[in-house]
Amino acid sequence: MNDDRWEAPRVLLAVDLVILTLRDSRLHVLLVQRGIEPFLGAWALPGGFLGHEQEDILAAARRELREEASLSAVPHLEQLGVYGEPGRDPRGRVITVAHLAIAPRLPEPTAGTDAAAAGWTPVDQILSGNVTLAFDHLRIVRDGVERARSKLESSALGTAFCTEVFTISELQQVYEAVWGTPLDPRNFYRKVQSIPGFLLEDGPPRRTGNGRPAKTYRSGPRHDLYPPMVRSADGPADRGAE
Amino acid sequence: MNDDRWEAPRVLLAVDLVILTLRDSRLHVLLVQRGIEPFLGAWALPGGFLGHEQEDILAAARRELREEASLSAVPHLEQLGVYGEPGRDPRGRVITVAHLAIAPRLPEPTAGTDAAAAGWTPVDQILSGNVTLAFDHLRIVRDGVERARSKLESSALGTAFCTEVFTISELQQVYEAVWGTPLDPRNFYRKVQSIPGFLLEDGPPRRTGNGRPAKTYRSGPRHDLYPPMVRSADGPADRGAE
DNA sequence: GCAATAGTGTCTGTCAGACAATATGCC
DNA sequence: GGCATATTGTCTGACAGACACTATTGC
């Protein structure tokens, strides 16, 4: 750190949330319509400033999660990164710590204190540029989705999109929605079964809607998957070069 | 964001650097011995407060890299994460943005303005707890090393440890040192060759020390490796569960 | 029976790991 | 030649992707 006699600048610290969920087999993110300046009326990620000087950052994120998504039991929450370009906020130097939250299908949110409206928006709508976001929130959403995609490969994060008890085909729908790729149900079935500690069989081995009832599972103790799930590697072409 | 009339708290913003390099085939990290309170005399990561209110975070990290490691050409620098538990610094609420820097063998550093001493320390000395670090810097080093290990798999980061022109066995030493695993030279040779865009052949196909001269290469245009390098998967046992 | 979904078995190409064999330098 | 390192070739087991087939439900 630096010299003590020199006065270091202070900055405003915010947290923002990329809350992802699945609705009718598509990946959605929670957005709020801003009710205050700046960017009044624009869509933005839910978030807010640190509540008080001693509040923990993760605790602030959880608080916003409760306040803006009325969600008590937090399934998964992790730090995504810091976004703090000077000039990103006209109110002064604001540094925001973005967080990624994964949740099973949540109820339709209601507008909060600073938001004129709130709602689930399909992620592809945002990534394709059809919805414009305030601040640098487009980039944050992009980073959050990419993080979710890659964490699906190496961790049991996919189960966080599901209810506590789920079937393998439900889990498959999660992977298909987040990765945006169709998967072979039979190979998927074999794959997830072969990863030790990923899934635990649940009591009554039946349930479901139309055909043969499926066994039910719950998330196993292993959070880091080994061997990992791998994306089909179909497009080795368009992967980032340079 | 929140209500405008309410006064949001301000925090001190710092950057810290995990600068990794290879010295005699072992992974080292740059540490400085603190010359000021708090933790006077303790070893810590190089870093410092934001220079002025409008300084970009990455620019601040680059500045510290220059100042504390006397390094002009920055080979690789990326954000590692935010560390900001309340109480981690007695001077007040300090949020630090940790960065990961990878460099080829650097000269022995000299003590900077706030540092009584500076030096390269073997990473395993730190991870095994033989060296005690100030603040939460042990955790930051741990996260930085883990990030470097996993990025070696999916990106061309390994070449950032090498000089501009290098041989394949030199690159192999990088992988072995960072991963802490011996690798078969023949399979390694085939593997890196088979990844398109990873390596470019350099002009004079000769050089080296004792046996047959090796072809020389430089880093190719591809930064994301596909297919990825994979760690031998030897220990599926001790991977993190629960 | 038929439709629909769940779950199993088998084949095949690819690839990582083991390791033999060859090439090219220095002494 | 002898040693050391670089580079190529071959074999083998594991595994992902394709896909035929069986099982169990509702109608």
Side-chain angles (χ1 to χ4, degrees):
Chain A
M1 312 275 172
N2 258 331
D3 194 329
D4 234 6
R5 290 151 302 192
W6 165 75
E7 191 68 33
R10 291 174 183 268
V11 302
L12 289 166
L13 189 68
V15 293
D16 280 315
L17 292 168
V18 180
I19 309 175
L20 298 178
T21 198
L22 233 59
R23 298 174 74 80
D24 56 342
S25 300
R26 287 172 74 198
L27 192 61
H28 286 65
V29 64
L30 184 65
L31 294 182
V32 298
Q33 197 170 22
R34 288 181 59 79
I36 59 175
E37 290 288 357
F39 291 100
L40 200 160
W43 290 98
L45 294 173
F49 288 115
L50 214 57
H52 58 273
E53 212 210 14
Q54 291 310 311
E55 188 178 33
D56 184 75
I57 299 178
L58 198 58
R62 279 205 205 89
R63 176 177 52 73
E64 293 292 341
L65 196 56
R66 269 197 312 276
E67 291 177 9
E68 309 236 16
S70 41
L71 179 57
S72 47
V74 178
H76 178 87
L77 190 60
E78 76 176 43
Q79 193 184 104
L80 195 54
V82 198
Y83 299 80
E85 291 143 68
R88 70 183 284 279
D89 192 319
R91 287 169 293 185
R93 190 66 195 278
V94 176
I95 308 291
T96 189
V97 182
H99 290 77
L100 178 64
I102 304 292
R105 54 174 58 266
L106 296 175
E108 200 65 41
T110 59
T113 50
D114 305 326
W120 295 105
T121 309
V123 160
D124 43 21
Q125 292 272 314
I126 296 169
L127 296 187
S128 65
N130 287 345
V131 178
T132 308
L133 300 187
F135 304 108
D136 45 9
H137 286 186
L138 170 60
R139 194 177 142 215
I140 299 179
V141 170
R142 218 186 268 130
D143 291 352
V145 171
E146 186 46 44
R147 172 77 67 95
R149 282 184 176 145
S150 88
K151 286 212 71 167
L152 235 52
E153 298 191 29
S154 57
S155 83
L157 183 63
T159 61
F161 281 101
C162 300
T163 50
E164 190 168 357
V165 175
F166 52 87
T167 68
I168 288 189
S169 62
E170 283 166 3
L171 185 61
Q172 182 184 343
Q173 286 172 32
V174 170
Y175 275 83
E176 291 182 329
V178 178
W179 282 350
T181 322
L183 300 171
D184 184 301
R186 300 157 293 187
N187 293 332
F188 185 84
Y189 196 94
R190 244 186 326 136
K191 180 62 184 173
V192 295
Q193 294 273 29
S194 73
I195 300 175
F198 187 12
L199 301 182
L200 296 178
E201 282 205 31
D202 194 57
R206 44 183 40 261
R207 198 182 127 216
T208 196
N210 206 333
R212 168 175 173 176
K215 293 183 194 160
T216 60
Y217 296 84
R218 52 183 70 234
S219 191
R222 173 139 302 192
H223 289 182
D224 290 329
L225 300 186
Y226 194 83
M229 307 282 301
V230 277
R231 271 182 274 185
S232 48
D234 38 43
D238 57 30
R239 300 231 170 196
E242 184 60 17
Chain B
M1 312 276 171
N2 258 330
D3 194 330
D4 232 7
R5 290 151 302 192
W6 165 76
E7 190 67 35
R10 290 173 184 268
V11 302
L12 289 166
L13 190 68
V15 293
D16 280 314
L17 291 167
V18 180
I19 308 174
L20 297 178
T21 196
L22 234 58
R23 298 174 74 81
D24 56 342
S25 299
R26 288 172 74 196
L27 191 62
H28 286 65
V29 64
L30 185 65
L31 295 182
V32 299
Q33 196 169 23
R34 289 181 59 78
I36 59 174
E37 291 287 357
F39 291 99
L40 199 160
W43 290 98
L45 294 173
F49 288 115
L50 214 57
H52 58 272
E53 213 210 14
Q54 291 310 310
E55 189 179 32
D56 183 73
I57 299 178
L58 198 58
R62 278 205 205 88
R63 176 177 51 74
E64 293 291 340
L65 196 57
R66 268 198 312 277
E67 290 177 9
E68 308 237 16
S70 40
L71 180 58
S72 47
V74 178
H76 177 88
L77 190 59
E78 76 177 42
Q79 193 183 104
L80 195 54
V82 200
Y83 299 80
E85 292 142 68
R88 70 182 284 279
D89 192 318
R91 286 169 294 186
R93 189 67 196 276
V94 177
I95 307 291
T96 189
V97 182
H99 291 76
L100 178 64
I102 304 292
R105 54 175 56 267
L106 296 174
E108 200 66 40
T110 60
T113 49
D114 306 324
W120 295 104
T121 309
V123 160
D124 42 22
Q125 291 273 312
I126 296 169
L127 297 187
S128 65
N130 286 346
V131 178
T132 308
L133 300 187
F135 304 108
D136 45 9
H137 286 186
L138 170 59
R139 195 178 141 213
I140 299 178
V141 170
R142 219 186 268 131
D143 291 352
V145 171
E146 186 46 45
R147 172 78 67 94
R149 283 185 176 145
S150 87
K151 286 212 72 167
L152 235 51
E153 299 191 29
S154 57
S155 83
L157 183 64
T159 61
F161 282 101
C162 300
T163 50
E164 190 167 356
V165 175
F166 52 88
T167 68
I168 289 189
S169 62
E170 283 165 4
L171 185 61
Q172 181 184 342
Q173 285 172 33
V174 170
Y175 275 83
E176 291 182 328
V178 178
W179 282 350
T181 322
L183 300 171
D184 184 300
R186 300 159 292 189
N187 294 332
F188 185 83
Y189 195 94
R190 241 186 329 135
K191 179 63 185 173
V192 294
Q193 293 273 29
S194 72
I195 300 176
F198 187 12
L199 301 181
L200 295 178
E201 281 205 31
D202 194 56
R206 42 183 41 262
R207 198 181 129 215
T208 194
N210 206 334
R212 168 175 173 177
K215 292 181 194 161
T216 59
Y217 296 84
R218 52 183 70 234
S219 192
R222 174 139 301 193
H223 288 181
D224 289 329
L225 301 186
Y226 195 83
M229 307 282 302
V230 277
R231 273 183 273 185
S232 48
D234 39 43
D238 57 31
R239 300 233 170 194
E242 186 62 14

